[in-house]
Amino acid sequence: MVRLHTAAAGGLGFALIVLAAAAMPARGAQDAYEQYVKTSKDFQPVKQDKDWALKAFPSWTFMPWYAHWTIGFNDAGGEFCQKAGINGAMVDHGKTNHMDWIEKFQLRFYGDHAAGKGDLHQWDGGKDKEFLPQIHDTGVRVRPVNAAMKDRLQGKLQEYIGTMKESSLRQAYALDDEISWGHFVHPCMWCVTDDTDAYRAWLKEIYGDGNVPDRRQWIGYNDIREKLSDWKVKDFDASHLMDQWTFNDS
């Protein structure tokens, strides 16, 4: 299964449905994506422990976002939270200046921006305007996901989590704002990483060594759109673009 941007589904939705039906393998044939989901490191099982989960998350938790919080972090504010059913709180960028208040009123909290801000979610507001040519091009994500970014994010996570990990009320982390390899509803065509070997290695994992299709060119919408007027339904093939997006997702 492939995750699509809303914009992509709107423009190519019918054709992709046809493609999915047309591309079903013959009975008994090995499907590359089925094999990928079954064996890839991207889809490893997660430990399931009901007792642990109920201890960590005993109830629904309402965790306010404090950017516009005017109630205060005093006794009156804590009593208001208890009366109103606000049973949670937040810590931002590892700052624990309200931790005494959180502990006093036993508010389960999450750590926001635990991986900082700006790498996983690149821009707020209209700050993306100057980058629109890159967003709509087939180059590389403005902030490429690579080993350097991984090291940087790991450092931030260790620093920020270290400031709050002693609290038994710590419940969850939010890495950044709206995390995306693209940019909201913009139809990003770029490659998520500047690691030139990563895509080739990923294709081998899916298709098997020796069966990798020719994907030397990184394509965009227009490479498919310009063919639509000549393609019959049976000719429709967006697998090249779907491979790119699934790679970015992985």
Side-chain angles (χ1 to χ4, degrees), residues 91-164:
V91 169
D92 200 13
H93 290 277
K95 298 176 182 177
T96 57
N97 46 315
H98 302 307
M99 190 61 72
D100 289 344
W101 179 79
I102 289 172
E103 294 282 351
K104 180 177 181 177
F105 291 95
Q106 290 293 288
L107 302 172
R108 292 177 175 270
F109 69 91
Y110 79 99
D112 203 4
H113 298 105
K117 184 169 182 175
D119 281 317
L120 301 178
H121 168 70
Q122 296 183 110
W123 307 288
D124 282 331
K127 296 178 183 178
D128 61 315
K129 293 288 191 288
E130 62 181 293
F131 298 105
L132 289 180
Q134 292 107 304
I135 290 174
H136 298 150
D137 196 14
T138 55
V140 175
R141 186 178 188 264
V142 173
R143 297 193 181 189
V145 179
N146 52 26
M149 177 183 283
K150 179 182 177 182
D151 291 342
R152 185 165 63 250
L153 296 182
Q154 283 182 331
K156 289 180 179 178
L157 284 167
Q158 289 174 344
E159 176 188 354
Y160 293 162
I161 291 174
T163 67
M164 64 184 92

Side-chain angles (χ1 to χ4, degrees), residues 4-226:
L4 303 180
H5 284 294
T6 303
L12 301 175
F14 169 74
L16 292 178
I17 292 171
V18 173
L19 172 65
M24 290 294 288
R27 186 178 298 276
Q30 184 180 50
D31 179 75
Y33 278 103
E34 180 181 4
Q35 179 70 11
Y36 167 55
V37 171
K38 286 181 176 179
T39 63
S40 173
K41 61 186 178 183
D42 295 330
F43 297 96
Q44 294 301 308
V46 177
K47 179 182 178 181
Q48 303 291 318
D49 188 328
K50 182 178 180 180
D51 292 337
W52 174 89
L54 289 176
K55 181 179 178 181
F57 307 100
S59 67
W60 288 102
T61 306
F62 183 82
M63 299 173 172
W65 183 51
Y66 291 145
H68 301 286
W69 181 263
T70 60
I71 296 171
F73 299 96
N74 49 28
D75 286 351
E79 291 167 4
F80 171 85
C81 289
Q82 292 178 334
K83 291 178 181 178
I86 299 174
N87 59 348
M90 69 168 284
V91 169
D92 200 13
H93 290 277
K95 298 176 182 177
T96 57
N97 46 315
H98 302 307
M99 190 61 72
D100 289 344
W101 179 79
I102 289 172
E103 294 282 351
K104 180 177 181 177
F105 291 95
Q106 290 293 288
L107 302 172
R108 292 177 175 270
F109 69 91
Y110 79 99
D112 203 4
H113 298 105
K117 184 169 182 175
D119 281 317
L120 301 178
H121 168 70
Q122 296 183 110
W123 307 288
D124 282 331
K127 296 178 183 178
D128 61 315
K129 293 288 191 288
E130 62 181 293
F131 298 105
L132 289 180
Q134 292 107 304
I135 290 174
H136 298 150
D137 196 14
T138 55
V140 175
R141 186 178 188 264
V142 173
R143 297 193 181 189
V145 179
N146 52 26
M149 177 183 283
K150 179 182 177 182
D151 291 342
R152 185 165 63 250
L153 296 182
Q154 283 182 331
K156 289 180 179 178
L157 284 167
Q158 289 174 344
E159 176 188 354
Y160 293 162
I161 291 174
T163 67
M164 64 184 92
K165 67 180 182 181
E166 298 303 321
S167 175
S168 61
L169 297 173
R170 175 176 50 106
Q171 194 165 46
Y173 303 108
L175 298 180
D176 201 334
D177 292 334
E178 293 77 8
I179 295 175
S180 174
W181 56 257
H183 183 60
F184 289 106
V185 297
H186 284 275
C188 293
M189 292 293 103
W190 59 35
C191 180
V192 72
T193 181
D194 56 359
D195 182 346
T196 56
D197 296 326
Y199 184 42
R200 181 73 179 176
W202 181 85
L203 288 170
K204 285 184 178 180
E205 182 184 351
I206 293 180
Y207 290 99
D209 200 6
N211 298 313
V212 178
D214 184 2
R215 298 285 191 256
R216 284 171 291 183
Q217 179 187 4
W218 191 272
I219 69 170
Y221 276 125
N222 290 332
D223 294 289
I224 290 179
R225 185 181 293 117
E226 65 187 16

